[in-house]
Structures are given as C-alpha cells and as structure tokens.
Amino acid sequence: MTVTSSLRRFPSVLMAWRNLGRNRTRTALAMLGIVIGVMAIASLGMTGVALEQQATSNLGNLANEVSVSPGEDIETDGITDDQVATLRDVAPATTVIPQKSNVTELTARNGAEANVQVTGVTNPAPLYDIASGDEPTRLQTGALISESTAEQLGLQLGDPVEYEGQIYRIRGFIAAESGFGPNGGGELVLPESALSEQEYYNSVTVIAADGEASTATANAIEAEFNDADDEILTARSFASVQENISSFTDTLELALLGIGSISLVVASVAILNVMLMSTIERRGEIGVLRAVGVRRGEVLRMILTEAAFLGAVGGLVGSAGSLVVGLALFQVLTGDATLALEWSSSRYLLYGMLFALIASVLSGIYPAWTAANESPVDALRG
C-alpha cells in the first residue's frame, strides 16, 4: 500500500502531500533546515550526557566512599589505632580500611626505573579493580602493582619486587583507571606488615552503602572528631564531587540545547517563508476550492498538514543522523557506543523530533490562517 493510497481517506492530508511534491527542491531545502536544527539539538544534548559520563567515569564507584585523613590539629603523625576503632563505632554499617603509605623506586632487570606510591593495606579488594591475577580480600603475602607500571618495567605475574630489603611476588595487576598513586597512577600495594615501621596510618577509606550514606558518614565523622576550634580528622565524601560534576554538566547541557535551538528557530523561519510563498502561488487554486464549497477548516488543515509533514520527515531524518553522531561521540568519549541508546541520552532524539514538529506547525499557522480566511472572490481575482 503506497503513501498516496493510504492518505485517500483524508482529502486534506492527501492534498498537502501532493502540494509538497510540486516543488521538490524548495520542499527539500526547507526540510534540510529542520534536519540541521534537529541534529544540532539532539547531538549537542547527547554530547552533554557523554561529557558527564566521561567526567564521572574516573570516579568509578567512589560515590559511596569517604576518605579520612589527618587534620591540621591532630597531635600525632597520622591516624592512630584508637581513632580507627572509633571510626568503626561511628559508622558501624560501613567497611573501614586503614592504609599506610610511602614512596619508593622500583628497578627492573633491564635497568628501567619507576617511582611508585607504596600502600600497606590488609583488605585491598574494595579499593582496587584487578585487571588480571588475584584480588585478595586479605593481603598477607605478595603484592599488587599498577598495570601501567608493570608494563613500564616489563613485570609479569609471579615476578619479584623488592621493598625495604624484602621480596614480594606480584599477585595481580591494578587496572589503569583504579588507584590514586602519583606518576600516572603508579602504585605498589603490599601487606600492612610491610610498613610496620610506621606507627600511624596515613589515611582511612570508609565504604558506605551508597552516595547518600557516604555523605552522612562523612558528616558523622567530622562531628565526632572535630569542633569549632580543632580539626583532628578530615572526612571527604566523593559523592559531593560527583554531585558538583553532575550540576555543572546539567548546566552545560542546557547551554548546548539553547545553542542547538537557535538552528531550529532559523529553520522555522524558513518554513514560514516556504508556506507563505506556497499559499501565494496557490492563491487562485485555494479560491476555487473555497468557491466549490471547501470549508475554511479544511483549507486550514491542509496547509497545517503540509507544515507538519515538513517537521515530521525532517525530524525523523535529523534524529537518525543524530543517533549516528551520538554513537560516534560515546565511542570516542566513553569507549562504549551503546550508552547512546540509554534513555538519558536517547531522549534528546525524541526532544529534537517533537521540537521540530511543534516549530513547523507553529510556523504554518499564519500562512494557513491567512489563506483560509481570504475571500474566495478576492482569491480568484488575485
């Protein structure tokens, strides 16, 4: 069944479809403006989502973590065992992981050297993503090392690394996006006993159930250890960082949508011009239709339908083009093109198409009203 045969049941719609086909070049150019406008809105909206996901991807699952470090007024050189015990009491429904830190230089057999941060911890599993090898929940022997550092030094699983005269066998490689060591993330994770000479902990990571719980935990820790005059421990929730990033990217998305909307407004003006020219050229034809009994409402519907066709077809083509652009953007920015199909990003395809349809119909109201309300005698005389 063809489009024409399907539209025979609706005379005004059929006439609108045929009228658009009379001057295909003009129709195509008007539709091109809609396509560009929709692609601008949808693509820029999806760009904002992709940027937000890229900005927050480095945080990984850290929204539920609280980082506790010594404050300015602490009397010791780090966090004590008693303070760690108090942290467990303050946040009983969390996982409290104390850590000792140092720095060292590793030397490979081929002479290559790398400066790394050394972290002594008993339970590294919640803190690190392991690219290959073991992910021990209790690290009592062996070591974990950053994947990038292992590649730099030519190390393999099972190879030895030396720290303070002791040899540790590599059990696993820390994924590139995991960990917070200096020098591009270079980090060597050892059993806590490897740093036994250090009496105090350099930091403590508290893992809560979710971002809201982590914020509440950070506030509870600050209230327990600090007052108006003394800052014993500093608690920082990564959930607040993620919220700030989301707030910024939301503002950026609105700005990008505003820029894209300008293109669609320009396209709407072009449609208004096309519809005005079309109604002027068909003034006599419209006068004949009115003279033989076609009502004003039918003429109004016919011209508005023409405008709606321009918006609908242009919106569909623009959305299809935006989807291709979105897939490419997400692949480049996040490494996963399928994220473009999620509602948070794909909704902009729908927004662009609806905006195009509404803008096109609004642009056709004035030409349709003018043509429908003109006297048949004046139209025929013109």
Side-chain angles (χ1 to χ4, degrees):
M1 183 179 293
T2 63
V3 174
T4 302
S5 61
S6 302
L7 298 178
R8 291 187 186 279
R9 301 176 184 177
F10 308 97
S12 60
V13 177
L14 178 59
M15 291 183 67
W17 182 260
R18 287 175 173 171
N19 289 334
L20 290 175
R22 289 181 175 183
N23 195 326
R24 296 182 179 180
T25 301
R26 187 168 61 193
T27 299
L29 290 175
M31 202 173 292
L32 179 62
I34 290 292
V35 171
I36 294 173
V38 171
M39 289 190 66
I41 287 180
S43 298
L44 289 174
M46 296 175 79
T47 298
V49 176
L51 289 174
E52 178 179 3
Q53 294 195 9
Q54 184 200 35
T56 57
S57 63
N58 291 332
L59 293 177
N61 297 321
L62 300 182
N64 63 337
E65 293 188 7
V66 178
S67 178
V68 182
S69 57
E72 295 180 354
D73 302 310
I74 194 169
E75 296 179 353
T76 57
D77 292 331
I79 302 173
T80 65
D81 289 322
D82 291 339
Q83 289 170 333
V84 171
T86 304
L87 286 173
R88 290 192 169 97
D89 293 335
V90 172
T94 63
T95 301
V96 178
I97 306 174
Q99 301 149 76
K100 296 180 179 180
S101 302
N102 201 351
V103 292
T104 191
E105 183 178 76
L106 298 180
T107 303
R109 295 172 183 173
N110 59 8
E113 297 179 346
N115 293 318
V116 297
Q117 174 177 302
V118 181
T119 301
V121 63
T122 301
N123 181 16
L127 301 178
Y128 303 97
D129 295 327
I130 303 302
S132 60
D134 296 335
E135 187 175 14
T137 55
R138 289 192 63 81
L139 185 63
Q140 295 178 329
T141 61
L144 306 176
I145 192 169
S146 300
E147 190 176 30
S148 58
T149 304
E151 292 177 358
Q152 179 182 351
L153 300 178
L155 298 174
Q156 303 293 328
L157 291 176
D159 285 351
V161 291
E162 182 179 350
Y163 175 72
E164 298 293 339
Q166 296 292 322
I167 299 298
Y168 301 89
R169 297 283 177 179
I170 297 176
R171 299 179 57 180
F173 294 142
I174 302 171
E177 68 276 6
S178 181
F180 298 93
N183 308 310
E187 192 163 5
L188 177 66
V189 180
L190 300 175
E192 187 180 313
S193 58
L195 285 78
S196 58
E197 293 183 359
Q198 295 182 209
E199 182 178 358
Y200 304 110
Y201 297 102
N202 298 91
S203 63
V204 177
T205 300
V206 181
I207 301 178
D210 51 35
E212 184 176 351
S214 71
T215 301
T217 299
N219 294 335
I221 292 172
E222 292 274 1
E224 174 69 24
F225 289 95
N226 304 331
D227 54 35
D229 299 322
D230 298 319
E231 184 182 38
I232 307 303
L233 296 181
T234 300
R236 180 188 180 195
S237 171
F238 289 99
S240 60
V241 178
Q242 203 164 42
E243 290 173 1
N244 291 337
I245 292 176
S246 297
S247 176
F248 169 76
T249 52
D250 287 343
T251 304
L252 179 62
E253 284 178 31
L254 289 175
L256 292 175
L257 286 176
I259 295 172
S261 300
I262 295 175
S263 300
L264 200 50
V265 170
V266 173
S268 301
V269 174
I271 289 179
L272 174 62
N273 182 53
V274 167
M275 299 308 300
L276 280 173
M277 292 177 63
S278 178
T279 53
I280 291 173
E281 290 176 356
R282 291 154 38 210
R283 188 180 180 193
E285 176 186 333
I286 294 173
V288 171
L289 291 175
R290 292 294 316 283
V292 298
V294 175
R295 290 177 294 183
R296 293 178 180 177
E298 195 71 17
V299 174
L300 187 69
R301 282 193 295 272
M302 178 183 68
I303 298 176
L304 286 178
T305 302
E306 292 181 31
F309 271 139
L310 288 172
V313 177
L316 284 172
V317 175
S319 295
S322 298
L323 178 59
V324 175
V325 174
L327 290 170
L329 279 171
F330 274 88
Q331 182 61 42
V332 172
L333 295 178
T334 67
D336 187 0
T338 59
L339 293 176
L341 303 177
E342 295 183 357
W343 173 246
S344 60
S345 56
S346 61
R347 59 184 171 144
Y348 290 104
L349 302 176
L350 178 62
Y351 294 165
M353 190 164 61
L354 290 176
F355 196 178
L357 185 60
I358 293 172
S360 299
V361 172
L362 291 177
S363 299
I365 289 177
Y366 175 71
W369 180 263
T370 302
N373 286 277
E374 187 174 17
S375 168
V377 175
D378 293 336
L380 289 170
R381 183 184 298 118

